[in-house]
């Protein structure tokens, strides 16, 4: 990583949705901050000048859910390996769910993860603190202490709280400290034992199903509780059309609720389970084409404010068992940008809209002053070529997780350079 304090990026198309900026203009960085947009200040002498002509310059991406597998599952991946992959993907900030081992339910674990990430220096890791001790769904954690330890949000990862009274108390407690709760919108009883969307494909393949109601029941309960307690909640990983309608209606009533979608839910459907591809074993499951189209519509309408990777790297053995017994999840960091750009190609969003849902949208959900390039802002910057074609293979991925249904698929869009706090943390070799 290059240690250069003063940098000018010249000639790129700067897209900064937070500031409604989309034009070819220079940007200058100094001392880890955005110094100026346009003309350099008098006397400014950059130590390095990057030629960004023909490239997109934007804020570094913010990913709301990326599992790093450390501590506890280092045979799958490590903070070093996954944050390095994040940097190569233009991601400068990522939120780590609390289902590590040990669970992120104490300040010590939260601080340990941040210290390891800072030591490697590839990306900023913000841990989501656990809502309940050991994610047991019973005893609420010391939320204020977790907030002080650097947890901007609290979560149960993929383990929902069954007891509505405990959920209500958690919301009341979180609201007291101004914390957002990341909620897994899946009813645990309706989800139990399932591995695919309950529908025609699961019936044909003989796979145990997870009904749409598993999501809508959970969303309905939590929206009602949020309305009563005044808590701020975020549905992490929506997958059904009905849930997006419920979210929009609740927001219209003034409920402080938001939602995100994993990038793979915008492209894959239940039909991709044909052939029993274990890389399509996901939670929530891949739904119908109508659900996928509704997610796209909600994203375009702004009802869903963020796209995330939902990165879950696995070792090869985790995907070798019969489909229902395999571990769910996709290794998603390195295909996040090219898949998001495919939304532009397919007319779902324009390019500034895609950048917004990868930057300022998720940053606002986390409550962090990131995801924009205002003068004086943290100099987290991504430079990418939207037209550069490539094909992901196990050999090209930096993540230790090779579990992706998008391997050997033509992609367009690659990151050329990533800056974290004004430092170059990734730079692709170029003949420029």
């Amino acid at each position: 990583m290059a240690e250069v304090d003063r940098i000018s990026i010249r000639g790129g198309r700067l897209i900064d949705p937070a500031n409604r900026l989309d034009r070819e203009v220079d940007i200058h960085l100094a001392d880890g901050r955005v110094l100026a947009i346009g003309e350099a200040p008098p006397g400014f002498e950059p130590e390095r000048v990057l030629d960004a002509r023909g490239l997109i310059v934007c804020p570094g991406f913010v990913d709301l859910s990326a599992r790093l597998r450390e501590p506890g599952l280092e045979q799958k991946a490590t903070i070093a390996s996954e944050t390095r992959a994040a940097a190569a993907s233009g991601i400068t900030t990522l939120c780590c769910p609390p289902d590590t081992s040990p669970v992120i339910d104490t300040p010590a674990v939260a601080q340990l993860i941040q210290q390891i990430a800072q030591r490697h220096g590839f990306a900023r890791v913000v841990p989501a603190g656990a809502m309940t001790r050991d994610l047991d769904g019973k005893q609420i954690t010391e939320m204020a202490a977790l907030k002080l330890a650097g947890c901007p949000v609290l979560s149960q990862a993929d383990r929902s709280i069954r007891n509505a009274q405990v959920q209500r108390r958690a919301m009341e407690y979180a609201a007291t400290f101004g914390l957002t709760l990341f909620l897994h919108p899946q009813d645990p009883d309706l989800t139990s034992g399932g591995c695919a969307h309950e529908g025609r494909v699961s019936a044909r393949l003989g796979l145990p199903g997870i009904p749409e109601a598993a999501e809508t029941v959970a969303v309905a309960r939590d929206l009602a509780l949020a309305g009563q307690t005044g808590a701020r909640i975020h549905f992490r990983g929506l997958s059904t059309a009905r849930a997006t309608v419920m979210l929009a209606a609740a927001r219209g009533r003034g409920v402080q609720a938001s939602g995100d979608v994993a990038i793979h839910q915008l492209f894959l459907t239940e039909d991709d389970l044909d052939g029993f591809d274990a890389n399509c074993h996901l939670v929530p499951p891949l739904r119908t084409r109508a659900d996928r189209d509704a997610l796209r519509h909600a994203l375009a309408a702004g009802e869903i404010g963020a796209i995330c990777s939902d990165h879950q790297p696995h070792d090869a053995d985790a995907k070798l068992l019969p489909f229902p017994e395999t571990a769910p999840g996709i290794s998603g960091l390195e295909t996040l940008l090219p898949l998001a750009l495919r939304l532009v190609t397919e007319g779902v969003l324009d390019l500034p809209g895609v950048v917004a849902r990868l930057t300022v949208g998720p940053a606002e959900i986390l409550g962090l002053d990131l995801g924009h390039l205002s003068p004086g802002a943290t100099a987290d910057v991504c430079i990418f070529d939207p037209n550069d074609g490539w094909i992901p293979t196990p050999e090209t991925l930096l993540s230790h997780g090779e579990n992706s249904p998008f391997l050997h698929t033509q992609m367009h869009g690659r990151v050329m350079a990533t800056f974290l706090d004004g430092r170059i943390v990734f730079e692709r070799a170029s003949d420029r």
Side-chain angles (χ1 to χ4, degrees), residues 38-94:
E39 292 291 329
F44 177 73
E45 295 184 2
E47 297 171 79
R48 185 168 177 195
V49 176
L50 271 74
D51 178 5
R53 288 175 297 176
L55 304 177
I56 305 298
V57 181
C58 67
F61 303 142
V62 179
D63 192 348
L64 291 180
S65 183
R67 285 173 169 80
L68 307 175
R69 304 306 193 193
E70 183 182 359
L73 290 172
E74 287 85 350
Q75 77 277 13
K76 292 179 182 286
T78 64
I79 291 174
S81 68
E82 304 316 288
T83 54
R84 181 167 174 250
S89 308
I91 298 165
T92 49
T93 300
L94 54 84

Side-chain angles (χ1 to χ4, degrees), residues 83-122:
T83 54
R84 181 167 174 250
S89 308
I91 298 165
T92 49
T93 300
L94 54 84
C95 184
C96 166
D99 54 349
T100 50
S101 180
V103 167
I104 308 173
D105 59 2
T106 65
V109 180
Q111 290 166 347
L112 172 66
I113 290 171
Q114 293 171 91
Q115 288 164 2
I116 295 173
Q118 289 165 3
R119 185 168 73 242
H120 295 294
F122 292 115

Side-chain angles (χ1 to χ4, degrees), residues 379-430:
D380 292 352
V381 182
C382 172
I383 303 175
F384 68 87
D385 183 343
N387 301 311
D388 191 7
W390 64 290
I391 297 175
T393 67
E395 293 72 29
T396 62
L397 296 182
L398 295 177
S399 168
H400 283 188
E402 299 171 359
N403 49 299
S404 170
F406 299 108
L407 289 182
H408 308 292
T409 301
Q410 179 68 52
M411 299 280 172
H412 288 92
R414 283 217 290 187
V415 171
M416 307 309 291
T418 304
F419 299 77
L420 174 68
D421 288 323
R423 293 180 297 111
I424 299 176
V425 292
F426 172 79
E427 186 170 16
R428 192 174 302 282
S430 169

Side-chain angles (χ1 to χ4, degrees), residues 221-245:
R221 181 194 74 165
D222 292 338
L223 285 174
L225 291 174
Q228 179 160 340
T229 61
R232 192 167 60 235
I233 63 171
H234 174 77
F235 291 115
R236 171 64 280 295
L238 292 172
S239 69
T240 66
R242 180 62 184 156
T244 65
V245 173

Side-chain angles (χ1 to χ4, degrees), residues 13 90 96 159 184 189 211 267 308 336 357 364 375 392 397 411 428:
R13 177 183 170 188
C96 166
R159 305 175 205 178
H184 177 57
D189 297 310
F267 293 95
C308 75
L336 176 62
R357 285 152 185 80
E364 288 179 348
L397 296 182
M411 299 280 172
R428 192 174 302 282

